[in-house]
PDB file of all heavy atoms in Angstrom:
ATOM      1  N   TRP S   1     -35.444   4.717  -5.706  1.00  0.00           N
ATOM      2  CA  TRP S   1     -35.709   3.587  -4.820  1.00  0.00           C
ATOM      3  C   TRP S   1     -37.188   3.336  -4.705  1.00  0.00           C
ATOM      4  O   TRP S   1     -37.940   4.316  -4.503  1.00  0.00           O
ATOM      5  CB  TRP S   1     -35.086   3.849  -3.399  1.00  0.00           C
ATOM      6  CG  TRP S   1     -35.468   2.754  -2.411  1.00  0.00           C
ATOM      7  CD1 TRP S   1     -36.520   2.689  -1.582  1.00  0.00           C
ATOM      8  CD2 TRP S   1     -34.673   1.565  -2.178  1.00  0.00           C
ATOM      9  NE1 TRP S   1     -36.468   1.530  -0.896  1.00  0.00           N
ATOM     10  CE2 TRP S   1     -35.332   0.823  -1.194  1.00  0.00           C
ATOM     11  CE3 TRP S   1     -33.496   1.107  -2.686  1.00  0.00           C
ATOM     12  CZ2 TRP S   1     -34.864  -0.380  -0.686  1.00  0.00           C
ATOM     13  CZ3 TRP S   1     -32.999  -0.124  -2.178  1.00  0.00           C
ATOM     14  CH2 TRP S   1     -33.658  -0.879  -1.198  1.00  0.00           C
ATOM     15  N   SER S   2     -37.632   2.049  -4.740  1.00  0.00           N
ATOM     16  CA  SER S   2     -39.011   1.715  -4.582  1.00  0.00           C
ATOM     17  C   SER S   2     -39.180   0.651  -3.506  1.00  0.00           C
ATOM     18  O   SER S   2     -38.543  -0.507  -3.673  1.00  0.00           O
ATOM     19  CB  SER S   2     -39.546   1.197  -5.982  1.00  0.00           C
ATOM     20  OG  SER S   2     -40.849   0.570  -5.677  1.00  0.00           O
ATOM     21  N   ASP S   3     -39.892   0.940  -2.468  1.00  0.00           N
ATOM     22  CA  ASP S   3     -40.111  -0.089  -1.465  1.00  0.00           C
ATOM     23  C   ASP S   3     -40.877  -1.310  -2.084  1.00  0.00           C
ATOM     24  O   ASP S   3     -40.672  -2.448  -1.626  1.00  0.00           O
ATOM     25  CB  ASP S   3     -40.881   0.452  -0.299  1.00  0.00           C
ATOM     26  CG  ASP S   3     -40.144   1.460   0.481  1.00  0.00           C
ATOM     27  OD1 ASP S   3     -38.882   1.356   0.531  1.00  0.00           O
ATOM     28  OD2 ASP S   3     -40.734   2.408   1.105  1.00  0.00           O
ATOM     29  N   ASP S   4     -41.808  -1.061  -2.963  1.00  0.00           N
ATOM     30  CA  ASP S   4     -42.480  -2.186  -3.620  1.00  0.00           C
ATOM     31  C   ASP S   4     -41.632  -3.087  -4.328  1.00  0.00           C
ATOM     32  O   ASP S   4     -41.693  -4.295  -4.234  1.00  0.00           O
ATOM     33  CB  ASP S   4     -43.568  -1.610  -4.560  1.00  0.00           C
ATOM     34  CG  ASP S   4     -44.730  -0.918  -3.888  1.00  0.00           C
ATOM     35  OD1 ASP S   4     -44.975  -1.120  -2.633  1.00  0.00           O
ATOM     36  OD2 ASP S   4     -45.447  -0.077  -4.537  1.00  0.00           O
ATOM     37  N   VAL S   5     -40.658  -2.509  -5.042  1.00  0.00           N
ATOM     38  CA  VAL S   5     -39.688  -3.301  -5.866  1.00  0.00           C
ATOM     39  C   VAL S   5     -38.771  -4.017  -4.884  1.00  0.00           C
ATOM     40  O   VAL S   5     -38.352  -5.188  -5.131  1.00  0.00           O
ATOM     41  CB  VAL S   5     -39.020  -2.485  -6.857  1.00  0.00           C
ATOM     42  CG1 VAL S   5     -38.049  -3.230  -7.624  1.00  0.00           C
ATOM     43  CG2 VAL S   5     -40.020  -1.836  -7.914  1.00  0.00           C
ATOM     44  N   ALA S   6     -38.350  -3.300  -3.821  1.00  0.00           N
ATOM     45  CA  ALA S   6     -37.454  -3.946  -2.776  1.00  0.00           C
ATOM     46  C   ALA S   6     -38.096  -5.163  -2.176  1.00  0.00           C
ATOM     47  O   ALA S   6     -37.328  -6.164  -1.878  1.00  0.00           O
ATOM     48  CB  ALA S   6     -37.078  -2.927  -1.734  1.00  0.00           C
ATOM     49  N   ARG S   7     -39.395  -5.198  -1.981  1.00  0.00           N
ATOM     50  CA  ARG S   7     -40.049  -6.398  -1.366  1.00  0.00           C
ATOM     51  C   ARG S   7     -39.909  -7.509  -2.347  1.00  0.00           C
ATOM     52  O   ARG S   7     -39.748  -8.679  -1.878  1.00  0.00           O
ATOM     53  CB  ARG S   7     -41.489  -5.968  -1.156  1.00  0.00           C
ATOM     54  CG  ARG S   7     -41.761  -5.294   0.107  1.00  0.00           C
ATOM     55  CD  ARG S   7     -43.208  -5.308   0.476  1.00  0.00           C
ATOM     56  NE  ARG S   7     -43.963  -4.298  -0.240  1.00  0.00           N
ATOM     57  CZ  ARG S   7     -44.152  -3.084   0.022  1.00  0.00           C
ATOM     58  NH1 ARG S   7     -43.604  -2.533   1.142  1.00  0.00           N
ATOM     59  NH2 ARG S   7     -44.875  -2.287  -0.785  1.00  0.00           N
ATOM     60  N   ILE S   8     -40.029  -7.324  -3.692  1.00  0.00           N
ATOM     61  CA  ILE S   8     -39.786  -8.407  -4.592  1.00  0.00           C
ATOM     62  C   ILE S   8     -38.378  -8.955  -4.452  1.00  0.00           C
ATOM     63  O   ILE S   8     -38.180 -10.192  -4.422  1.00  0.00           O
ATOM     64  CB  ILE S   8     -39.994  -7.907  -6.071  1.00  0.00           C
ATOM     65  CG1 ILE S   8     -41.395  -7.376  -6.249  1.00  0.00           C
ATOM     66  CG2 ILE S   8     -39.782  -9.030  -7.063  1.00  0.00           C
ATOM     67  CD1 ILE S   8     -41.609  -6.612  -7.494  1.00  0.00           C
ATOM     68  N   ALA S   9     -37.392  -8.104  -4.394  1.00  0.00           N
ATOM     69  CA  ALA S   9     -36.030  -8.493  -4.254  1.00  0.00           C
ATOM     70  C   ALA S   9     -35.725  -9.184  -2.974  1.00  0.00           C
ATOM     71  O   ALA S   9     -35.033 -10.239  -2.874  1.00  0.00           O
ATOM     72  CB  ALA S   9     -35.079  -7.279  -4.374  1.00  0.00           C
ATOM     73  N   ARG S  10     -36.308  -8.705  -1.806  1.00  0.00           N
ATOM     74  CA  ARG S  10     -36.130  -9.323  -0.506  1.00  0.00           C
ATOM     75  C   ARG S  10     -36.667 -10.737  -0.526  1.00  0.00           C
ATOM     76  O   ARG S  10     -36.078 -11.648   0.093  1.00  0.00           O
ATOM     77  CB  ARG S  10     -36.689  -8.480   0.555  1.00  0.00           C
ATOM     78  CG  ARG S  10     -35.938  -7.174   0.849  1.00  0.00           C
ATOM     79  CD  ARG S  10     -36.498  -6.419   2.009  1.00  0.00           C
ATOM     80  NE  ARG S  10     -35.875  -5.085   2.071  1.00  0.00           N
ATOM     81  CZ  ARG S  10     -36.603  -3.964   2.065  1.00  0.00           C
ATOM     82  NH1 ARG S  10     -37.884  -4.033   1.888  1.00  0.00           N
ATOM     83  NH2 ARG S  10     -35.965  -2.788   2.118  1.00  0.00           N
ATOM     84  N   LEU S  11     -37.843 -10.960  -1.095  1.00  0.00           N
ATOM     85  CA  LEU S  11     -38.467 -12.221  -1.151  1.00  0.00           C
ATOM     86  C   LEU S  11     -37.486 -13.270  -1.748  1.00  0.00           C
ATOM     87  O   LEU S  11     -37.287 -14.375  -1.210  1.00  0.00           O
ATOM     88  CB  LEU S  11     -39.717 -12.205  -1.912  1.00  0.00           C
ATOM     89  CG  LEU S  11     -40.488 -13.536  -2.236  1.00  0.00           C
ATOM     90  CD1 LEU S  11     -40.822 -14.210  -0.878  1.00  0.00           C
ATOM     91  CD2 LEU S  11     -41.633 -13.354  -3.147  1.00  0.00           C
ATOM     92  N   HIS S  12     -36.887 -12.929  -2.912  1.00  0.00           N
ATOM     93  CA  HIS S  12     -36.021 -13.857  -3.517  1.00  0.00           C
ATOM     94  C   HIS S  12     -34.717 -14.089  -2.763  1.00  0.00           C
ATOM     95  O   HIS S  12     -34.294 -15.217  -2.610  1.00  0.00           O
ATOM     96  CB  HIS S  12     -35.755 -13.423  -4.935  1.00  0.00           C
ATOM     97  CG  HIS S  12     -35.081 -14.435  -5.781  1.00  0.00           C
ATOM     98  ND1 HIS S  12     -35.590 -15.687  -5.942  1.00  0.00           N
ATOM     99  CD2 HIS S  12     -33.938 -14.435  -6.619  1.00  0.00           C
ATOM    100  CE1 HIS S  12     -34.836 -16.429  -6.719  1.00  0.00           C
ATOM    101  NE2 HIS S  12     -33.850 -15.639  -7.166  1.00  0.00           N
ATOM    102  N   SER S  13     -34.126 -12.981  -2.208  1.00  0.00           N
ATOM    103  CA  SER S  13     -32.880 -13.261  -1.480  1.00  0.00           C
ATOM    104  C   SER S  13     -33.187 -14.051  -0.230  1.00  0.00           C
ATOM    105  O   SER S  13     -32.352 -14.915   0.209  1.00  0.00           O
ATOM    106  CB  SER S  13     -32.302 -11.852  -0.988  1.00  0.00           C
ATOM    107  OG  SER S  13     -31.760 -11.147  -2.070  1.00  0.00           O
ATOM    108  N   GLU S  14     -34.258 -13.776   0.480  1.00  0.00           N
ATOM    109  CA  GLU S  14     -34.621 -14.599   1.629  1.00  0.00           C
ATOM    110  C   GLU S  14     -34.796 -16.062   1.325  1.00  0.00           C
ATOM    111  O   GLU S  14     -34.345 -16.944   2.017  1.00  0.00           O
ATOM    112  CB  GLU S  14     -35.874 -14.098   2.270  1.00  0.00           C
ATOM    113  CG  GLU S  14     -35.711 -12.774   3.106  1.00  0.00           C
ATOM    114  CD  GLU S  14     -35.042 -12.933   4.385  1.00  0.00           C
ATOM    115  OE1 GLU S  14     -35.059 -14.051   4.860  1.00  0.00           O
ATOM    116  OE2 GLU S  14     -34.552 -12.001   4.956  1.00  0.00           O
ATOM    117  N   ASN S  15     -35.483 -16.339   0.199  1.00  0.00           N
ATOM    118  CA  ASN S  15     -35.737 -17.753  -0.149  1.00  0.00           C
ATOM    119  C   ASN S  15     -34.387 -18.427  -0.595  1.00  0.00           C
ATOM    120  O   ASN S  15     -34.128 -19.634  -0.323  1.00  0.00           O
ATOM    121  CB  ASN S  15     -36.766 -17.841  -1.269  1.00  0.00           C
ATOM    122  CG  ASN S  15     -38.129 -17.825  -0.710  1.00  0.00           C
ATOM    123  OD1 ASN S  15     -38.482 -18.305   0.404  1.00  0.00           O
ATOM    124  ND2 ASN S  15     -38.993 -17.155  -1.386  1.00  0.00           N
ATOM    125  N   MET S  16     -33.478 -17.665  -1.288  1.00  0.00           N
ATOM    126  CA  MET S  16     -32.209 -18.287  -1.660  1.00  0.00           C
ATOM    127  C   MET S  16     -31.358 -18.646  -0.353  1.00  0.00           C
ATOM    128  O   MET S  16     -30.747 -19.704  -0.321  1.00  0.00           O
ATOM    129  CB  MET S  16     -31.423 -17.321  -2.579  1.00  0.00           C
ATOM    130  CG  MET S  16     -31.921 -17.243  -3.959  1.00  0.00           C
ATOM    131  SD  MET S  16     -30.811 -16.464  -5.173  1.00  0.00           S
ATOM    132  CE  MET S  16     -30.806 -14.767  -4.546  1.00  0.00           C
ATOM    133  N   ALA S  17     -31.516 -17.701   0.588  1.00  0.00           N
ATOM    134  CA  ALA S  17     -30.736 -17.999   1.843  1.00  0.00           C
ATOM    135  C   ALA S  17     -31.336 -19.132   2.646  1.00  0.00           C
ATOM    136  O   ALA S  17     -30.631 -19.979   3.153  1.00  0.00           O
ATOM    137  CB  ALA S  17     -30.702 -16.661   2.643  1.00  0.00           C
ATOM    138  N   ASN S  18     -32.654 -19.092   2.717  1.00  0.00           N
ATOM    139  CA  ASN S  18     -33.255 -20.070   3.513  1.00  0.00           C
ATOM    140  C   ASN S  18     -33.234 -21.507   3.004  1.00  0.00           C
ATOM    141  O   ASN S  18     -33.206 -22.477   3.691  1.00  0.00           O
ATOM    142  CB  ASN S  18     -34.742 -19.678   3.853  1.00  0.00           C
ATOM    143  CG  ASN S  18     -34.837 -18.568   4.841  1.00  0.00           C
ATOM    144  OD1 ASN S  18     -33.978 -18.299   5.673  1.00  0.00           O
ATOM    145  ND2 ASN S  18     -35.976 -17.859   4.731  1.00  0.00           N
ATOM    146  N   TYR S  19     -33.345 -21.585   1.645  1.00  0.00           N
ATOM    147  CA  TYR S  19     -33.353 -22.867   0.970  1.00  0.00           C
ATOM    148  C   TYR S  19     -32.097 -23.256   0.309  1.00  0.00           C
ATOM    149  O   TYR S  19     -32.053 -24.246  -0.417  1.00  0.00           O
ATOM    150  CB  TYR S  19     -34.587 -22.936   0.049  1.00  0.00           C
ATOM    151  CG  TYR S  19     -35.903 -22.849   0.692  1.00  0.00           C
ATOM    152  CD1 TYR S  19     -36.569 -21.623   0.802  1.00  0.00           C
ATOM    153  CD2 TYR S  19     -36.547 -23.943   1.260  1.00  0.00           C
ATOM    154  CE1 TYR S  19     -37.700 -21.495   1.492  1.00  0.00           C
ATOM    155  CE2 TYR S  19     -37.681 -23.892   1.942  1.00  0.00           C
ATOM    156  CZ  TYR S  19     -38.346 -22.663   2.029  1.00  0.00           C
ATOM    157  OH  TYR S  19     -39.539 -22.477   2.696  1.00  0.00           O
ATOM    158  N   ASN S  20     -31.020 -22.443   0.510  1.00  0.00           N
ATOM    159  CA  ASN S  20     -29.665 -22.789   0.007  1.00  0.00           C
ATOM    160  C   ASN S  20     -29.644 -23.126  -1.452  1.00  0.00           C
ATOM    161  O   ASN S  20     -29.193 -24.199  -1.905  1.00  0.00           O
ATOM    162  CB  ASN S  20     -29.132 -23.946   0.834  1.00  0.00           C
ATOM    163  CG  ASN S  20     -27.623 -24.160   0.588  1.00  0.00           C
ATOM    164  OD1 ASN S  20     -26.895 -23.222   0.390  1.00  0.00           O
ATOM    165  ND2 ASN S  20     -27.179 -25.396   0.678  1.00  0.00           N
ATOM    166  N   PHE S  21     -30.052 -22.223  -2.231  1.00  0.00           N
ATOM    167  CA  PHE S  21     -29.990 -22.328  -3.759  1.00  0.00           C
ATOM    168  C   PHE S  21     -29.570 -20.928  -4.323  1.00  0.00           C
ATOM    169  O   PHE S  21     -29.670 -19.931  -3.635  1.00  0.00           O
ATOM    170  CB  PHE S  21     -31.288 -22.827  -4.390  1.00  0.00           C
ATOM    171  CG  PHE S  21     -32.329 -21.758  -4.434  1.00  0.00           C
ATOM    172  CD1 PHE S  21     -32.592 -21.069  -5.601  1.00  0.00           C
ATOM    173  CD2 PHE S  21     -33.242 -21.551  -3.320  1.00  0.00           C
ATOM    174  CE1 PHE S  21     -33.543 -20.062  -5.567  1.00  0.00           C
ATOM    175  CE2 PHE S  21     -34.244 -20.630  -3.383  1.00  0.00           C
ATOM    176  CZ  PHE S  21     -34.368 -19.918  -4.505  1.00  0.00           C
ATOM    177  N   PHE S  22     -29.204 -20.983  -5.599  1.00  0.00           N
ATOM    178  CA  PHE S  22     -28.796 -19.783  -6.276  1.00  0.00           C
ATOM    179  C   PHE S  22     -29.240 -19.793  -7.730  1.00  0.00           C
ATOM    180  O   PHE S  22     -28.631 -20.527  -8.552  1.00  0.00           O
ATOM    181  CB  PHE S  22     -27.234 -19.527  -6.189  1.00  0.00           C
ATOM    182  CG  PHE S  22     -26.792 -18.142  -6.665  1.00  0.00           C
ATOM    183  CD1 PHE S  22     -27.090 -17.053  -6.048  1.00  0.00           C
ATOM    184  CD2 PHE S  22     -26.138 -18.210  -7.903  1.00  0.00           C
ATOM    185  CE1 PHE S  22     -26.700 -15.821  -6.554  1.00  0.00           C
ATOM    186  CE2 PHE S  22     -25.643 -16.977  -8.414  1.00  0.00           C
ATOM    187  CZ  PHE S  22     -25.919 -15.742  -7.671  1.00  0.00           C
ATOM    188  N   SER S  23     -30.300 -19.075  -8.067  1.00  0.00           N
ATOM    189  CA  SER S  23     -30.853 -19.080  -9.358  1.00  0.00           C
ATOM    190  C   SER S  23     -31.805 -17.995  -9.493  1.00  0.00           C
ATOM    191  O   SER S  23     -32.445 -17.566  -8.483  1.00  0.00           O
ATOM    192  CB  SER S  23     -31.508 -20.422  -9.649  1.00  0.00           C
ATOM    193  OG  SER S  23     -32.227 -20.402 -10.842  1.00  0.00           O
ATOM    194  N   HIS S  24     -32.105 -17.493 -10.684  1.00  0.00           N
ATOM    195  CA  HIS S  24     -33.233 -16.591 -10.885  1.00  0.00           C
ATOM    196  C   HIS S  24     -34.559 -17.273 -10.637  1.00  0.00           C
ATOM    197  O   HIS S  24     -35.588 -16.603 -10.231  1.00  0.00           O
ATOM    198  CB  HIS S  24     -33.152 -16.022 -12.413  1.00  0.00           C
ATOM    199  CG  HIS S  24     -32.120 -15.000 -12.614  1.00  0.00           C
ATOM    200  ND1 HIS S  24     -32.167 -13.735 -11.983  1.00  0.00           N
ATOM    201  CD2 HIS S  24     -30.922 -15.029 -13.236  1.00  0.00           C
ATOM    202  CE1 HIS S  24     -31.086 -13.073 -12.337  1.00  0.00           C
ATOM    203  NE2 HIS S  24     -30.286 -13.804 -13.142  1.00  0.00           N
ATOM    204  N   ALA S  25     -34.660 -18.530 -10.967  1.00  0.00           N
ATOM    205  CA  ALA S  25     -35.881 -19.289 -10.659  1.00  0.00           C
ATOM    206  C   ALA S  25     -35.875 -19.667  -9.225  1.00  0.00           C
ATOM    207  O   ALA S  25     -34.897 -20.187  -8.619  1.00  0.00           O
ATOM    208  CB  ALA S  25     -35.930 -20.572 -11.606  1.00  0.00           C
ATOM    209  N   GLY S  26     -37.003 -19.495  -8.569  1.00  0.00           N
ATOM    210  CA  GLY S  26     -37.178 -19.851  -7.170  1.00  0.00           C
ATOM    211  C   GLY S  26     -37.251 -21.322  -6.996  1.00  0.00           C
ATOM    212  O   GLY S  26     -37.298 -22.034  -7.957  1.00  0.00           O
ATOM    213  N   VAL S  27     -37.345 -21.825  -5.764  1.00  0.00           N
ATOM    214  CA  VAL S  27     -37.477 -23.230  -5.539  1.00  0.00           C
ATOM    215  C   VAL S  27     -38.796 -23.751  -6.125  1.00  0.00           C
ATOM    216  O   VAL S  27     -39.033 -24.958  -6.300  1.00  0.00           O
ATOM    217  CB  VAL S  27     -37.346 -23.573  -4.060  1.00  0.00           C
ATOM    218  CG1 VAL S  27     -35.910 -23.365  -3.607  1.00  0.00           C
ATOM    219  CG2 VAL S  27     -38.353 -22.842  -3.213  1.00  0.00           C
ATOM    220  N   ASP S  28     -39.816 -22.824  -6.262  1.00  0.00           N
ATOM    221  CA  ASP S  28     -41.073 -23.163  -6.854  1.00  0.00           C
ATOM    222  C   ASP S  28     -41.100 -22.913  -8.344  1.00  0.00           C
ATOM    223  O   ASP S  28     -42.217 -23.110  -8.942  1.00  0.00           O
ATOM    224  CB  ASP S  28     -42.164 -22.384  -6.214  1.00  0.00           C
ATOM    225  CG  ASP S  28     -41.854 -20.880  -6.065  1.00  0.00           C
ATOM    226  OD1 ASP S  28     -40.892 -20.498  -6.793  1.00  0.00           O
ATOM    227  OD2 ASP S  28     -42.531 -20.237  -5.355  1.00  0.00           O
ATOM    228  N   GLY S  29     -39.976 -22.541  -8.981  1.00  0.00           N
ATOM    229  CA  GLY S  29     -39.949 -22.379 -10.444  1.00  0.00           C
ATOM    230  C   GLY S  29     -40.433 -20.944 -10.854  1.00  0.00           C
ATOM    231  O   GLY S  29     -40.389 -20.623 -12.076  1.00  0.00           O
ATOM    232  N   LEU S  30     -40.702 -20.045  -9.876  1.00  0.00           N
ATOM    233  CA  LEU S  30     -41.212 -18.743 -10.198  1.00  0.00           C
ATOM    234  C   LEU S  30     -40.062 -17.847 -10.563  1.00  0.00           C
ATOM    235  O   LEU S  30     -39.015 -17.930 -10.008  1.00  0.00           O
ATOM    236  CB  LEU S  30     -42.045 -18.141  -9.044  1.00  0.00           C
ATOM    237  CG  LEU S  30     -43.256 -18.988  -8.732  1.00  0.00           C
ATOM    238  CD1 LEU S  30     -44.069 -18.212  -7.578  1.00  0.00           C
ATOM    239  CD2 LEU S  30     -44.191 -19.171  -9.910  1.00  0.00           C
ATOM    240  N   MET S  31     -40.264 -16.879 -11.520  1.00  0.00           N
ATOM    241  CA  MET S  31     -39.330 -15.934 -11.954  1.00  0.00           C
ATOM    242  C   MET S  31     -39.705 -14.534 -11.408  1.00  0.00           C
ATOM    243  O   MET S  31     -40.705 -14.443 -10.696  1.00  0.00           O
ATOM    244  CB  MET S  31     -39.199 -15.916 -13.473  1.00  0.00           C
ATOM    245  CG  MET S  31     -38.884 -17.201 -14.122  1.00  0.00           C
ATOM    246  SD  MET S  31     -37.180 -17.828 -13.696  1.00  0.00           S
ATOM    247  CE  MET S  31     -36.195 -16.819 -14.694  1.00  0.00           C
ATOM    248  N   VAL S  32     -38.834 -13.587 -11.676  1.00  0.00           N
ATOM    249  CA  VAL S  32     -39.031 -12.189 -11.047  1.00  0.00           C
ATOM    250  C   VAL S  32     -40.400 -11.640 -11.499  1.00  0.00           C
ATOM    251  O   VAL S  32     -40.997 -10.991 -10.676  1.00  0.00           O
ATOM    252  CB  VAL S  32     -37.911 -11.341 -11.553  1.00  0.00           C
ATOM    253  CG1 VAL S  32     -37.837 -11.096 -12.989  1.00  0.00           C
ATOM    254  CG2 VAL S  32     -38.042  -9.984 -10.817  1.00  0.00           C
ATOM    255  N   ASN S  33     -40.851 -11.880 -12.655  1.00  0.00           N
ATOM    256  CA  ASN S  33     -42.191 -11.407 -13.079  1.00  0.00           C
ATOM    257  C   ASN S  33     -43.326 -12.035 -12.263  1.00  0.00           C
ATOM    258  O   ASN S  33     -44.334 -11.432 -11.912  1.00  0.00           O
ATOM    259  CB  ASN S  33     -42.452 -11.548 -14.585  1.00  0.00           C
ATOM    260  CG  ASN S  33     -42.421 -13.082 -14.923  1.00  0.00           C
ATOM    261  OD1 ASN S  33     -41.346 -13.681 -14.795  1.00  0.00           O
ATOM    262  ND2 ASN S  33     -43.490 -13.614 -15.522  1.00  0.00           N
ATOM    263  N   ASP S  34     -43.220 -13.328 -11.915  1.00  0.00           N
ATOM    264  CA  ASP S  34     -44.123 -14.073 -11.077  1.00  0.00           C
ATOM    265  C   ASP S  34     -44.083 -13.406  -9.680  1.00  0.00           C
ATOM    266  O   ASP S  34     -45.139 -13.304  -9.014  1.00  0.00           O
ATOM    267  CB  ASP S  34     -43.891 -15.487 -11.008  1.00  0.00           C
ATOM    268  CG  ASP S  34     -43.837 -16.169 -12.388  1.00  0.00           C
ATOM    269  OD1 ASP S  34     -44.763 -16.019 -13.155  1.00  0.00           O
ATOM    270  OD2 ASP S  34     -42.840 -16.829 -12.764  1.00  0.00           O
ATOM    271  N   ARG S  35     -42.918 -13.120  -9.126  1.00  0.00           N
ATOM    272  CA  ARG S  35     -42.796 -12.587  -7.833  1.00  0.00           C
ATOM    273  C   ARG S  35     -43.423 -11.122  -7.737  1.00  0.00           C
ATOM    274  O   ARG S  35     -43.999 -10.766  -6.769  1.00  0.00           O
ATOM    275  CB  ARG S  35     -41.349 -12.564  -7.346  1.00  0.00           C
ATOM    276  CG  ARG S  35     -40.803 -13.969  -7.193  1.00  0.00           C
ATOM    277  CD  ARG S  35     -39.363 -13.919  -6.557  1.00  0.00           C
ATOM    278  NE  ARG S  35     -38.371 -13.668  -7.501  1.00  0.00           N
ATOM    279  CZ  ARG S  35     -37.775 -14.548  -8.353  1.00  0.00           C
ATOM    280  NH1 ARG S  35     -38.171 -15.871  -8.301  1.00  0.00           N
ATOM    281  NH2 ARG S  35     -36.769 -14.218  -9.144  1.00  0.00           N
ATOM    282  N   ALA S  36     -43.276 -10.456  -8.930  1.00  0.00           N
ATOM    283  CA  ALA S  36     -44.029  -9.163  -8.984  1.00  0.00           C
ATOM    284  C   ALA S  36     -45.477  -9.315  -8.885  1.00  0.00           C
ATOM    285  O   ALA S  36     -46.160  -8.502  -8.180  1.00  0.00           O
ATOM    286  CB  ALA S  36     -43.470  -8.445 -10.230  1.00  0.00           C
ATOM    287  N   ASP S  37     -45.984 -10.303  -9.632  1.00  0.00           N
ATOM    288  CA  ASP S  37     -47.446 -10.587  -9.564  1.00  0.00           C
ATOM    289  C   ASP S  37     -47.869 -10.931  -8.158  1.00  0.00           C
ATOM    290  O   ASP S  37     -48.961 -10.493  -7.722  1.00  0.00           O
ATOM    291  CB  ASP S  37     -47.746 -11.738 -10.458  1.00  0.00           C
ATOM    292  CG  ASP S  37     -47.781 -11.364 -11.925  1.00  0.00           C
ATOM    293  OD1 ASP S  37     -47.829 -10.186 -12.204  1.00  0.00           O
ATOM    294  OD2 ASP S  37     -47.670 -12.240 -12.735  1.00  0.00           O
ATOM    295  N   PHE S  38     -47.062 -11.538  -7.391  1.00  0.00           N
ATOM    296  CA  PHE S  38     -47.357 -12.054  -5.978  1.00  0.00           C
ATOM    297  C   PHE S  38     -47.568 -10.734  -5.127  1.00  0.00           C
ATOM    298  O   PHE S  38     -48.472 -10.793  -4.249  1.00  0.00           O
ATOM    299  CB  PHE S  38     -46.242 -12.875  -5.435  1.00  0.00           C
ATOM    300  CG  PHE S  38     -46.433 -13.243  -4.051  1.00  0.00           C
ATOM    301  CD1 PHE S  38     -47.421 -14.000  -3.565  1.00  0.00           C
ATOM    302  CD2 PHE S  38     -45.447 -12.780  -3.048  1.00  0.00           C
ATOM    303  CE1 PHE S  38     -47.644 -14.400  -2.293  1.00  0.00           C
ATOM    304  CE2 PHE S  38     -45.588 -13.125  -1.732  1.00  0.00           C
ATOM    305  CZ  PHE S  38     -46.706 -13.924  -1.327  1.00  0.00           C
ATOM    306  N   PHE S  39     -46.882  -9.681  -5.369  1.00  0.00           N
ATOM    307  CA  PHE S  39     -47.025  -8.461  -4.567  1.00  0.00           C
ATOM    308  C   PHE S  39     -47.979  -7.468  -5.322  1.00  0.00           C
ATOM    309  O   PHE S  39     -48.068  -6.314  -4.925  1.00  0.00           O
ATOM    310  CB  PHE S  39     -45.671  -7.764  -4.372  1.00  0.00           C
ATOM    311  CG  PHE S  39     -44.892  -8.503  -3.366  1.00  0.00           C
ATOM    312  CD1 PHE S  39     -43.739  -9.297  -3.767  1.00  0.00           C
ATOM    313  CD2 PHE S  39     -45.176  -8.471  -2.015  1.00  0.00           C
ATOM    314  CE1 PHE S  39     -42.985  -9.907  -2.807  1.00  0.00           C
ATOM    315  CE2 PHE S  39     -44.416  -9.128  -1.105  1.00  0.00           C
ATOM    316  CZ  PHE S  39     -43.297  -9.870  -1.464  1.00  0.00           C
ATOM    317  N   GLY S  40     -48.644  -7.982  -6.292  1.00  0.00           N
ATOM    318  CA  GLY S  40     -49.609  -7.061  -6.993  1.00  0.00           C
ATOM    319  C   GLY S  40     -49.142  -6.070  -7.926  1.00  0.00           C
ATOM    320  O   GLY S  40     -49.780  -5.127  -8.333  1.00  0.00           O
ATOM    321  N   ILE S  41     -47.864  -6.214  -8.365  1.00  0.00           N
ATOM    322  CA  ILE S  41     -47.180  -5.348  -9.340  1.00  0.00           C
ATOM    323  C   ILE S  41     -47.262  -5.995 -10.689  1.00  0.00           C
ATOM    324  O   ILE S  41     -46.430  -6.905 -11.032  1.00  0.00           O
ATOM    325  CB  ILE S  41     -45.745  -4.996  -8.936  1.00  0.00           C
ATOM    326  CG1 ILE S  41     -45.768  -4.374  -7.553  1.00  0.00           C
ATOM    327  CG2 ILE S  41     -45.112  -4.118  -9.917  1.00  0.00           C
ATOM    328  CD1 ILE S  41     -44.349  -4.129  -7.020  1.00  0.00           C
ATOM    329  N   ASN S  42     -48.246  -5.610 -11.549  1.00  0.00           N
ATOM    330  CA  ASN S  42     -48.413  -6.291 -12.771  1.00  0.00           C
ATOM    331  C   ASN S  42     -48.549  -5.296 -13.962  1.00  0.00           C
ATOM    332  O   ASN S  42     -48.653  -5.683 -15.142  1.00  0.00           O
ATOM    333  CB  ASN S  42     -49.556  -7.257 -12.773  1.00  0.00           C
ATOM    334  CG  ASN S  42     -50.779  -6.675 -12.151  1.00  0.00           C
ATOM    335  OD1 ASN S  42     -51.129  -5.497 -12.338  1.00  0.00           O
ATOM    336  ND2 ASN S  42     -51.539  -7.484 -11.368  1.00  0.00           N
ATOM    337  N   LYS S  43     -48.527  -4.065 -13.725  1.00  0.00           N
ATOM    338  CA  LYS S  43     -48.632  -3.008 -14.759  1.00  0.00           C
ATOM    339  C   LYS S  43     -47.243  -2.431 -15.052  1.00  0.00           C
ATOM    340  O   LYS S  43     -46.867  -1.323 -14.572  1.00  0.00           O
ATOM    341  CB  LYS S  43     -49.656  -1.924 -14.366  1.00  0.00           C
ATOM    342  CG  LYS S  43     -51.049  -2.446 -14.219  1.00  0.00           C
ATOM    343  CD  LYS S  43     -52.059  -1.281 -13.866  1.00  0.00           C
ATOM    344  CE  LYS S  43     -53.427  -1.846 -13.700  1.00  0.00           C
ATOM    345  NZ  LYS S  43     -54.368  -0.732 -13.333  1.00  0.00           N
TER     346      LYS S  43
END
């Protein structure tokens, strides 16, 4: 279990719930690798 990785997952689940969509791409077009970058996880 990684708290850092869980934050990436929570961000996407929260946005799917709040904006009523279901996709790997967020409402802004970002994918999981982009969300990792957002939290400073790029290595």
Side-chain angles (χ1 to χ4, degrees):
W1 176 272
S2 168
D3 288 334
D4 290 340
V5 177
R7 280 192 284 271
I8 302 171
R10 290 185 187 120
L11 172 64
H12 194 49
S13 288
E14 285 284 341
N15 279 323
M16 286 193 293
N18 287 336
Y19 294 97
N20 193 31
F21 73 95
F22 186 72
S23 171
H24 284 289
V27 292
D28 49 12
L30 301 182
M31 302 294 283
V32 62
N33 59 300
D34 303 307
R35 292 187 282 275
D37 285 342
F38 177 64
F39 286 106
I41 302 174
N42 44 39
K43 295 181 179 180

